[in-house]
Amino acid sequence: GSCWGNSVERKIYIPLNKTAPCVRLLNATHQIGCQSSISGDTGVIHVVEKEEDLNWVLADGPHPPYMILLDGNLFNRRVMLQLKGTSRVSGLAVAPAKPSPPQGFSPGLKCPNDGFGVYSKDYGPQFAHCNKTVWNPLGSGLSYEDFDFPIFLLEDANETQVIKQCYQAHNVPRDGSGPEYPLCAMQLFSHMHAVTSTVTCMRRSSLQSTFSINPEVVCDPLLDYNVWSTLQPINASGKVDPGKEVIILATRIDSHSFFWNIAPGAESAVSSFVTHLAAAEALHKASDTHLLQRNIMFTFFQGETFDYIGSSRMVYDMEKDKFPLSLSNIYSFVELNQVALRNDSTLWMHTDPVSRMNDSVEVQVRNLLDVLSNSSVGANVTLQEVGHSQPLPPSSFQRFLRARHIPGVVLTDHRTSFQNRYYQSMYDTPENIRMQYPEGLSPEETLEYVTDTAKSLAEVATVVARALYRLAGGANNTSAIQADPKTVARMLYGFLIKMNNSWFQSIIKPDIKGILGDVPQHYVAVSSPVNTTYLVQYVLANLTGTVVNLTKEECLNPEKTPSSEKEMYEYAWVQGSLDPNSTSRVPYCVRSTVHLSKALSPAFELRQWGSTEYSTWTESRWKEIRARIFLVASKELEILTLVVGIAILVVSLLATYFINAKADVLFSTPRDPGAVAY
């Protein structure tokens, strides 16, 4: 029966398999995103490729509600708010614009993470709410709107073409009048379980967990792990000596867009954390790092897009003595923000004008700026200061400043507003940071090909590594400290184009090889660690760790080996590269100082779901997400079919009743005339 049913379904429906939904996210006060009704939303397809096509949907078309196939160039705030204000639209499928919209597109906010950085009515009120500088002027805030109909992204151009063909064959208006039935329709399923706000959904989930045997959780906090390591090993489960000074180098590793798990983040995240990884490798190759008077900590924050989840958690842990470092150990803070779109090879050094009013902080910041500037001499990078009157751009450093006046600098490719015209959007792709490969390269050749972008980011990494070496007290000539463009090229390929490549395969543990999907996305999500976190962890271990001669058993259980210094190092048994002469791999053991620490907002530890101090973002749960198209008959035909069906049912019931009532007459056996009774 089920096989027959499935084959009937296949004849009726064409499933759309390569789609990405817009889902519901919630914070302390709002819900944002999209959802369908519980049984999915259906509508007649109308293709909208220019603004005039909207008139048919909003006014003229005789067959509402409509499912719109929207050209990516029209996917903007003005059009979306028009569609939001009508009951004639039941959903939206967006075909991405190719090439990316030349005018730019950012569904993020004009003032990212507003209210959760350092500036407020009590600290630099003149800088609060981006009063001085609007960082993301192209930000439409579309990702932060609440839509009561489903919106899906069509990732496959072939599926988009199938929908257009179905529309052309059945739905195109003829001579200004409506098309004839049957019509091509689309159905989108994306019903969300959580409503209103994080406060409401967490309370419901909490009540369910308390009183129900099978609790139904309706939302989950956005969470993951921060990745961190140190130049000189420290006891990760102990406390660093209060007198030991540490310099922090930081970046974010997550991004976001309007659609769930579509977050390429080339300029907003990848360019900076790849530069950071290259700088870490360059420093570890220096011969005298064990002699430096100050330690250097490499920190990769997760969840920063959503009101600084990772950095606020690390600061909280430092304040509560749940982290090896305390805030008082931090000598200075250097953050790499967006760095790939430099004009005239200039990098801008942003500092906090409020804390610099303190004389001792000013002296340390001045020293920091001088060391950075001097480190760029001879490199193809020019470092310039931003004026005293400008605040810090959105950055993890702001969360540290909220807790303590730490001398710090944020390095970016923009002096005022972002150079990135596709901040937090699906178009923040390798093309956005001008990554170009020659035609006809194999995947392996593409992995190894050094693009101009890779060379430029390696130069930034070199300057940063040399500056950190000087800040840590290094006295030798820094010309030997050099980031490797080949490593940067491999990382850009792996984090932006294809995760499942030979290098990534060789440096991860065998039990997590399933994380190597195809196109990389850098959304923080709710199930952790996500692919990006794992890969940053293993790339950092590969670039900064050492191969040790341990067996698999010793590597997996280092506490059994007396010389392992288990509390100082992490050990990983990785797959290794393929043996050239066979299909088997040559695994080995890597010892590094790379650790993970929780990136879950303190609001959820403290159960303060309405917090204004910490991030409160949650993601709704859902049952199913799918999309399909099919032909739909007219209402009249559907009603006629129903009436005829009911009539046939009634006639058959009556016939059955009468036949049953007269069964003895109709089905009695006639007597044999030849039979003789005695």
Side-chain angles (χ1 to χ4, degrees):
S2 67
C3 294
W4 179 83
N6 284 340
S7 68
V8 169
E9 182 170 329
R10 278 201 299 274
K11 285 176 182 170
I12 298 171
Y13 299 108
I14 299 175
L16 303 171
N17 297 319
K18 287 214 162 175
T19 59
C22 155
V23 304
R24 176 170 289 164
L25 298 172
L26 309 99
N27 67 9
T29 52
H30 290 75
Q31 62 179 31
I32 62 169
C34 325
Q35 76 153 356
S36 73
S37 60
I38 198 160
S39 54
D41 287 332
T42 307
V44 173
I45 295 169
H46 191 72
V47 174
V48 174
E49 292 178 326
K50 49 190 188 298
E51 284 213 35
E52 300 82 79
D53 297 339
L54 284 170
N55 295 336
W56 185 262
V57 172
L58 298 172
D60 304 339
H63 306 119
Y66 284 96
M67 275 281 172
I68 298 175
L69 174 54
L70 188 70
D71 184 272
N73 288 302
L74 291 174
F75 184 55
N76 57 49
R77 186 178 180 86
R78 189 165 46 82
V79 169
M80 291 305 294
L81 292 186
Q82 267 184 283
L83 301 179
K84 188 178 175 179
T86 175
S87 58
R88 290 175 59 91
V89 174
S90 59
L92 216 65
V94 179
K98 286 194 171 93
S100 303
Q103 71 277 16
F105 172 74
S106 172
L109 298 169
K110 287 189 188 315
C111 190
N113 292 1
D114 186 22
F116 290 86
V118 71
Y119 303 111
S120 65
K121 65 180 193 304
D122 305 317
Y123 187 101
Q126 70 274 31
F127 304 128
H129 314 302
C130 295
N131 281 344
K132 194 82 181 173
T133 310
V134 177
W135 295 107
N136 185 29
L138 289 170
S140 64
L142 202 55
S143 289
Y144 295 84
E145 288 288 331
D146 182 34
F147 295 95
D148 58 0
F149 51 76
I151 304 176
F152 278 53
L153 178 70
L154 299 170
E155 295 182 81
D156 185 350
N158 293 334
E159 289 188 342
T160 306
Q161 206 47 47
V162 168
I163 299 169
K164 284 185 176 176
Q165 284 167 355
C166 189
Y167 166 78
Q168 294 288 349
H170 298 278
N171 295 14
V172 175
R174 312 281 176 211
D175 307 320
S177 63
E180 297 294 317
Y181 282 99
L183 297 172
C184 194
M186 186 188 294
Q187 189 172 27
L188 302 177
F189 296 85
S190 63
H191 181 66
M192 300 287 138
H193 293 178
V195 292
T196 311
S197 68
T198 289
V199 178
T200 304
C201 78
M202 288 301 289
R203 189 173 63 235
R204 284 182 182 170
S205 298
S206 177
L207 284 169
Q208 286 267 355
S209 305
T210 310
F211 297 112
S212 172
I213 301 167
N214 298 315
E216 188 181 320
V217 176
V218 293
C219 66
D220 302 281
L222 294 180
L223 80 153
D224 206 78
Y225 288 89
N226 298 322
V227 182
W228 65 275
S229 81
T230 50
L231 190 60
Q232 300 161 351
I234 61 170
N235 185 345
S237 53
K239 286 296 289 180
V240 170
D241 177 34
K244 181 69 177 172
E245 293 178 327
V246 178
I247 299 155
I248 292 185
L249 178 63
T251 43
R252 64 174 59 191
I253 56 173
D254 69 303
S255 187
H256 179 44
S257 84
F258 186 87
F259 298 99
W260 184 75
N261 208 26
I262 299 292
E267 158 76 335
S268 64
V270 178
S271 67
S272 52
F273 75 68
V274 160
T275 306
H276 185 162
L277 287 162
E281 180 191 34
L283 274 165
H284 271 269
K285 283 181 177 169
S287 55
D288 60 339
T289 52
H290 58 289
L291 302 172
L292 296 176
Q293 67 185 84
R294 298 184 185 98
N295 204 346
I296 298 170
M297 178 168 146
F298 306 103
T299 316
F300 299 83
F301 292 120
Q302 186 56 281
E304 294 299 274
T305 307
F306 295 96
D307 300 336
Y308 306 119
I309 293 172
S311 52
S312 62
R313 179 52 186 259
M314 187 173 279
V315 171
Y316 174 82
D317 286 345
M318 285 179 175
E319 289 177 321
K320 301 284 184 234
D321 284 342
K322 293 178 179 175
F323 195 79
L325 258 68
S326 297
L327 288 166
S328 57
N329 290 117
I330 302 171
Y331 173 73
S332 57
F333 196 105
V334 178
E335 180 169 352
L336 284 165
N337 218 310
Q338 306 180 71
V339 292
L341 298 175
R342 308 203 312 278
N343 273 347
D344 306 324
S345 72
T346 304
L347 261 189
W348 294 95
M349 300 185 286
H350 298 260
T351 55
D352 171 43
V354 181
S355 59
R356 285 181 73 176
M357 291 175 187
N358 177 315
D359 290 344
S360 64
V361 173
E362 170 61 28
V363 169
Q364 289 174 285
V365 171
R366 191 69 266 155
N367 174 51
L368 182 55
L369 295 170
D370 291 343
V371 169
L372 276 160
S373 296
N374 294 338
S375 300
S376 68
V377 174
N380 187 21
V381 180
T382 313
L383 279 129
Q384 291 198 31
E385 285 181 52
V386 175
H388 256 269
S389 59
Q390 189 172 291
L392 286 167
S395 50
S396 310
F397 177 43
Q398 292 201 27
R399 290 303 303 197
F400 284 79
L401 272 181
R402 272 176 85 126
R404 187 184 177 92
H405 278 186
I406 295 165
V409 64
V410 178
L411 301 176
T412 74
D413 56 21
H414 55 90
R415 181 178 186 169
T416 54
S417 52
F418 297 161
Q419 296 273 24
N420 186 1
R421 292 174 303 137
Y422 304 109
Y423 183 72
Q424 287 184 11
S425 92
M426 56 186 165
Y427 302 117
D428 192 3
T429 56
E431 292 76 29
N432 186 30
I433 58 169
R434 306 172 193 145
M435 270 173 69
Q436 290 171 323
Y437 294 94
E439 293 286 320
L441 294 185
S442 69
E444 207 56 34
E445 288 167 337
T446 317
L447 171 68
E448 301 294 342
Y449 182 82
V450 181
T451 59
D452 290 343
T453 306
K455 290 174 192 165
S456 135
L457 292 178
E459 285 162 357
V460 176
T462 299
V463 171
V464 170
R466 289 174 180 176
L468 290 172
Y469 175 80
R470 279 274 175 263
L471 289 166
N476 289 353
N477 188 344
T478 57
S479 58
I481 298 175
Q482 192 78 38
D484 184 358
K486 285 191 173 153
T487 308
V488 177
R490 284 173 155 199
M491 289 192 283
L492 287 172
Y493 179 79
F495 284 113
L496 285 174
I497 294 170
K498 194 166 192 271
M499 275 190 170
N500 198 1
N501 62 69
S502 58
W503 184 47
F504 278 6
Q505 286 164 8
S506 70
I507 63 173
I508 61 169
K509 288 180 175 178
D511 56 335
I512 59 162
K513 60 177 183 244
I515 68 163
L516 294 177
D518 205 17
V519 181
Q521 304 297 351
H522 307 291
Y523 170 63
V524 53
V526 294
S527 54
S528 58
V530 292
N531 306 5
T532 310
T533 307
Y534 270 133
L535 287 166
V536 168
Q537 179 190 4
Y538 286 104
V539 169
L540 185 58
N542 177 271
L543 298 180
T544 64
T546 46
V547 177
V548 286
N549 189 16
L550 295 178
T551 63
K552 182 178 181 181
E553 189 59 38
E554 291 169 332
C555 191
L556 296 174
N557 303 289
E559 62 279 354
K560 293 179 182 171
T561 311
S563 61
S564 71
E565 297 183 276
K566 171 75 181 90
E567 62 285 349
M568 307 295 275
Y569 295 102
E570 293 283 327
Y571 290 81
W573 184 256
V574 301
Q575 289 197 117
S577 41
L578 281 169
D579 189 332
N581 302 324
S582 73
T583 54
S584 61
R585 293 184 174 276
V586 186
Y588 56 91
C589 188
V590 175
R591 185 186 77 182
S592 72
T593 61
V594 180
H595 307 277
L596 296 180
S597 70
K598 218 179 230 182
L600 167 66
S601 169
F604 298 100
E605 292 278 296
L606 302 164
R607 294 174 70 89
Q608 293 173 359
W609 302 318
S611 172
T612 53
E613 170 77 7
Y614 298 113
S615 169
T616 54
W617 286 105
T618 52
E619 180 185 275
S620 173
R621 288 201 177 182
W622 57 80
K623 188 179 176 187
E624 63 172 349
I625 283 186
R626 61 193 173 98
R628 59 191 187 180
I629 62 171
F630 55 94
L631 291 180
V632 64
S634 68
K635 282 278 179 283
E636 292 79 4
L637 183 59
E638 287 178 347
I639 291 166
L640 181 64
T641 309
L642 180 66
V643 169
V644 170
I646 292 169
I648 292 169
L649 176 66
V650 170
V651 168
S652 62
L653 286 172
L654 288 170
T656 307
Y657 172 75
F658 284 118
I659 290 167
N660 195 36
K662 304 292 182 186
D664 52 334
V665 176
L666 294 171
F667 304 115
S668 60
T669 311
R671 183 172 290 181
D672 185 351
V676 180
Y678 291 100

